[in-house]
Amino acid sequence: IFLDSNPVYDHLLGADIAEGLKKAKLSVAIADRANETASLCSYLALNTHYLESWGDASPKAGYYSLTQPVISNIFNSRQGESSLLAWAGKSPDYQAYVKNVWTSSILNGKTWIQALHDGVYESPNATAVGASFSGNLAEAAAKVSSVKSSGIELYVFENVTIGTGIQANNPWLQETPDPVSKVTWENTAAFSQKTAADLGLEVGDWVKITIGANTVELPILIQPGQANDTVTVAMGYGRTAAGKAGNVGVAILPLLKGSATASNLWVGGAKIEKTKSGYTLAQTQTHETYMGREAVVQESVLSEYVKNSKAGRFEPMIATSDGLKKPYSITLWNGHEKKNHSWGMVIDLNTCTGCAACVVSCQAENNVSVVGKAEVARAREMHWIRIDRYYSSDAPEEEGYSVAGYKAMEKASANPEVVFQPLMCQHCSNAPCETVCPVLATTHSSEGLNQMTYNRCVGTRYCANNCPYKVRRFNWFKYFENDNFNFHFNNELGRMVINPDVTVRSRGVIEKCSMCVQRIQAGKLTAKKEKRRPVDGEIETACSQSCPTNAITFGDMLDPESRVSKLLVQEEEGRRFQLLEEINVIPQVNYLVKIRNKDSVKKAEAVAHTDHAEHAVH
């Protein structure tokens, strides 16, 4: 009996398990679909989704939590625990089973209804249980140091979005760029620049990786910072029964079969052979990018910041007949008066880890279309927020952009540092997009938002061409209700993911971040009914709500008590900066300089492209 497991795909001995299943007299899979394992079993007991299920947990001694369904069963399915109870000859009512256990052995004076309301319960007799360790560290270290390998070492890692493959059929996650490589929809064989050069490999090549009698073929990725003489490949791809979105990429675990170090997901002695060239990865880093600007990524080190709170800040000045002036002191704009509210953000580059939770949450909240691998490769992804990844290397400043400078940067990129920068529509007060729209499809609100009126847009794309941040997206096709592009909007079940508060855009329309205006309006209406102003934190954008490190702070900049206002005041003479400040578009989004926790650094060059060192910005 397999309960929510798929070892035929994700176990090193998956092929052996598949053969063994053919000999089993009875095999049952409790799963949500006929995956690689379930399709080989005698019976498939359709399991419920976790949001349709009852359950409990005790993550720590004396501490308990409850889960309860938030939706009725969509299919004629049954929770796995209920199936086990039924097969054991007991009542299959798992809710009653959980309630009975809690009432009889966990709750102490508290009622079941109260526990269900609270969701968590702490036993009054809870005592901390100490942990013990009996391993032999010296022996383990000796074994590690004694491992020798020849040739190229293969390392297999778990992808940050689809994990071991359990999330492979989620198109939002498939189209989310990997935080470092920025590749979507497939896995790659990644090499350092030196190893790729030694093997005669270039961007666009495919290689065959051979371990013993097993081989796989993958496109290559040249990855700055990777150890030399290694090749890394993500697991979770190569599914054959995941679903429409999930059967992409190449399965890598079978390559490790038979290796003594397979359980540690690495093996030495990999043979690498080039097979073909001319391939284009669905890689987003250089899409809609803007490079060669000092005002883009701003960073410094702790020792400099301690001496000067403005360390790392790029403060451009404009030459006038009266001398140098700040960019915002000279303008042809009359500006926009902010009435009652001024919605804005502060993004702290120190705490952004590039995890892309904001990208996925924005996509879910705002009905952003999935376009598929081919369209991503054409730079047509629709994400309203992107996370630009920049490499910083200790290239000598005096070399500049000379050939010597490029070589120095290429050498330094063997051990680069990384900075992530979330970028969405900046909602400029002097918005370049608004001046060029011939039909007033993009206009400015009295609350600081750059708005889109979709049914006015005729798709000239003047606004996208005039946007200095390249954050506007164009619907090249009718992505929804189209099997060629979409994976969920084209059937009744899939349309359950659509947010009814947000329109679904059609072909020929420009779209971009709205700062979740539907949430702003809902929060304002709630406050209006209660005859008050919205309370800070009551209205959150999807990206700020989902950020696990609180790198994104959203709020009303006209409310002096809001977190965003306090941050702006606190960092006015500190880390606060705006992107491309020299063009004086006055964004509603502010950033905080990244301060690295080290004492000194040479002048850093941020290499924006993973493949070519000549693409660089300060």
Side-chain angles (χ1 to χ4, degrees):
I1 298 177
F2 299 93
L3 174 59
D4 278 337
S5 59
N6 187 15
V8 170
Y9 167 76
D10 59 22
H11 195 279
L12 292 168
L13 300 179
D16 295 339
I17 295 171
E19 287 299 315
L21 278 172
K22 296 176 182 178
K23 304 173 186 177
K25 293 180 180 180
L26 175 65
S27 54
V28 181
I30 304 174
D32 66 344
R33 71 195 67 210
N35 58 34
E36 290 83 352
T37 302
S39 59
L40 299 177
C41 290
S42 309
Y43 298 95
L44 169 57
L46 187 61
N47 199 4
T48 55
H49 188 272
Y50 77 91
L51 292 178
E52 303 168 334
S53 305
W54 285 93
D56 59 358
S58 179
K60 182 180 178 182
Y63 294 84
Y64 304 90
S65 63
L66 280 164
T67 60
Q68 55 183 309
V70 297
I71 187 174
S72 299
N73 289 9
I74 297 175
F75 300 107
N76 186 21
S77 56
R78 183 169 69 178
Q79 188 171 350
E81 291 86 346
S82 294
S83 293
L84 294 173
L85 285 170
W87 299 338
K90 301 181 182 297
S91 168
D93 188 344
Y94 189 59
Q95 176 189 359
Y97 182 86
V98 172
K99 179 180 179 181
N100 180 59
V101 172
W102 274 62
T103 303
S104 62
S105 58
I106 296 177
L107 297 175
N108 185 9
K110 183 176 286 190
T111 66
W112 163 254
I113 295 298
Q114 185 63 47
L116 200 59
H117 169 271
D118 296 344
V120 294
Y121 175 71
E122 179 181 349
S123 172
N125 301 320
T127 56
V129 178
S132 60
F133 176 72
S134 58
N136 189 327
L137 290 178
E139 181 182 356
K143 286 185 177 181
V144 170
S145 63
S146 66
V147 173
K148 305 293 182 183
S149 64
S150 59
I152 304 294
E153 291 187 11
L154 167 68
Y155 290 84
V156 177
F157 65 95
E158 187 174 321
N159 185 281
V160 71
T161 54
I162 66 170
T164 61
I166 193 170
Q167 298 288 350
N169 200 45
N170 187 328
W172 288 338
L173 299 182
Q174 285 283 5
E175 198 153 292
T176 300
D178 179 273
V180 177
S181 72
K182 311 305 288 185
V183 174
T184 68
W185 285 106
E186 62 188 329
N187 51 349
T188 61
F191 299 89
S192 69
Q193 291 176 313
K194 179 181 183 304
T195 302
D198 292 343
L199 295 171
L201 301 176
E202 297 179 349
V203 175
D205 290 347
W206 277 64
V207 294
K208 181 169 70 173
I209 305 175
T210 303
I211 304 289
N214 304 314
T215 64
V216 298
E217 194 171 345
L218 287 156
I220 77 156
L221 171 75
I222 297 179
Q223 179 59 58
Q226 182 165 317
N228 294 329
D229 299 322
T230 65
V231 54
T232 58
V233 183
M235 66 172 76
Y237 294 88
R239 296 283 304 272
T240 58
K244 183 177 180 181
N247 299 336
V248 296
V250 177
I252 191 65
L253 289 182
L255 196 59
L256 303 178
K257 183 180 178 182
S259 169
T261 57
S263 60
N264 292 324
L265 300 179
W266 74 273
V267 61
K271 182 181 178 183
I272 309 296
E273 298 175 85
K274 177 180 172 180
T275 58
K276 55 185 178 182
S277 302
Y279 184 72
T280 300
L281 288 171
Q283 188 178 16
T284 65
Q285 175 62 19
T286 55
H287 297 177
E288 310 293 354
T289 192
Y290 52 106
M291 296 181 283
R293 297 278 192 175
E294 286 186 89
V296 177
V297 175
Q298 299 185 30
E299 58 177 317
S300 187
V301 294
L302 185 59
S303 58
E304 296 299 320
Y305 177 71
V306 169
K307 292 184 287 187
N308 176 13
S309 63
K310 285 191 172 185
R313 282 273 299 274
F314 172 69
E315 298 183 277
M317 304 294 285
I318 304 297
T320 72
S321 57
D322 297 328
L324 296 177
K325 294 186 176 181
K326 291 282 188 180
Y328 53 75
S329 65
I330 304 171
T331 181
L332 295 175
W333 288 75
N334 292 326
H336 296 280
E337 181 185 358
K338 308 296 193 303
K339 297 179 180 178
N340 202 26
H341 302 288
S342 179
W343 305 105
M345 287 181 178
V346 173
I347 300 177
D348 192 344
L349 300 186
N350 258 14
T351 52
C352 177
T353 63
C355 71
C358 56
V359 177
V360 180
S361 62
C362 172
Q363 192 162 19
E365 171 71 22
N366 294 294
N367 300 334
V368 177
S369 293
V370 173
V371 301
K373 177 181 173 182
E375 290 300 294
V376 173
R378 294 186 179 99
R380 292 177 177 176
E381 66 273 10
M382 296 298 295
H383 293 141
W384 284 9
I385 179 173
R386 70 176 190 261
I387 300 181
D388 290 337
R389 181 267 298 121
Y390 296 97
Y391 295 126
S392 296
S393 57
D394 292 343
E397 180 183 16
E398 60 271 13
E399 298 289 359
Y401 295 111
S402 64
V403 173
Y406 294 148
K407 289 182 177 178
M409 289 167 62
E410 186 172 2
K411 181 179 179 181
S413 67
N415 187 28
E417 293 177 322
V418 177
V419 59
F420 299 103
Q421 186 174 57
L423 193 69
M424 68 293 286
C425 174
Q426 303 289 286
H427 294 269
C428 311
S429 293
N430 297 342
C433 56
E434 295 172 13
T435 60
V436 295
C437 180
V439 292
L440 288 179
T442 180
T443 54
H444 213 79
S445 82
S446 60
E447 298 182 356
L449 298 180
N450 177 254
Q451 299 176 315
M452 275 299 305
T453 307
Y454 299 121
N455 59 1
R456 277 184 177 177
C457 182
V458 295
T460 63
R461 292 179 286 150
Y462 295 158
C463 58
N465 290 330
N466 221 36
C467 174
Y469 304 105
K470 303 305 175 188
V471 289
R472 288 175 166 261
R473 302 290 177 257
F474 181 68
N475 285 266
W476 289 89
F477 301 94
K478 183 181 178 181
Y479 295 113
F480 65 95
E481 296 180 350
N482 190 325
D483 283 337
N484 292 322
F485 301 106
N486 221 296
F487 300 88
H488 47 264
F489 287 5
N490 51 351
N491 58 67
E492 290 298 323
L493 175 65
R495 279 193 284 271
M496 291 183 70
V497 308
I498 293 177
N499 182 352
D501 294 330
V502 181
T503 185
V504 176
R505 286 74 62 186
S506 190
R507 179 183 180 185
V509 172
I510 283 282
E511 60 184 71
K512 53 91 192 174
C513 163
S514 67
M515 280 207 187
C516 293
V517 67
Q518 68 280 1
R519 291 186 171 203
I520 293 174
Q521 290 302 108
K524 286 166 57 181
L525 287 173
T526 298
K528 183 178 180 180
K529 291 176 184 177
E530 300 174 7
K531 298 181 180 180
R532 58 174 177 80
R533 287 181 64 88
V535 178
D536 185 47
E538 184 177 22
I539 302 173
E540 287 281 3
T541 57
C543 58
S544 64
Q545 183 185 48
S546 64
C547 180
T549 62
N550 295 319
I552 303 175
T553 303
F554 171 81
D556 183 0
M557 296 191 295
L558 290 186
D559 178 1
E561 297 303 314
S562 68
R563 293 166 298 162
V564 70
S565 293
K566 290 178 179 178
L567 261 178
L568 292 174
V569 171
Q570 173 186 327
E571 296 290 351
E572 177 61 34
E573 296 302 319
R575 295 192 291 141
R576 172 188 175 186
F577 72 95
Q578 294 177 328
L579 291 187
L580 306 183
E581 185 179 346
E582 63 267 37
I583 62 177
N584 192 32
V585 293
I586 312 182
Q588 293 285 98
V589 180
N590 290 264
Y591 292 82
L592 301 182
V593 172
K594 182 174 182 64
I595 304 298
R596 297 192 183 277
N597 191 10
K598 59 182 186 180
D599 293 330
S600 62
V601 68
K602 298 176 185 177
K603 178 68 177 180
E605 299 284 352
V607 183
H609 198 293
T610 60
D611 306 321
H612 303 291
E614 62 266 25
H615 291 282
V617 297
H618 287 288

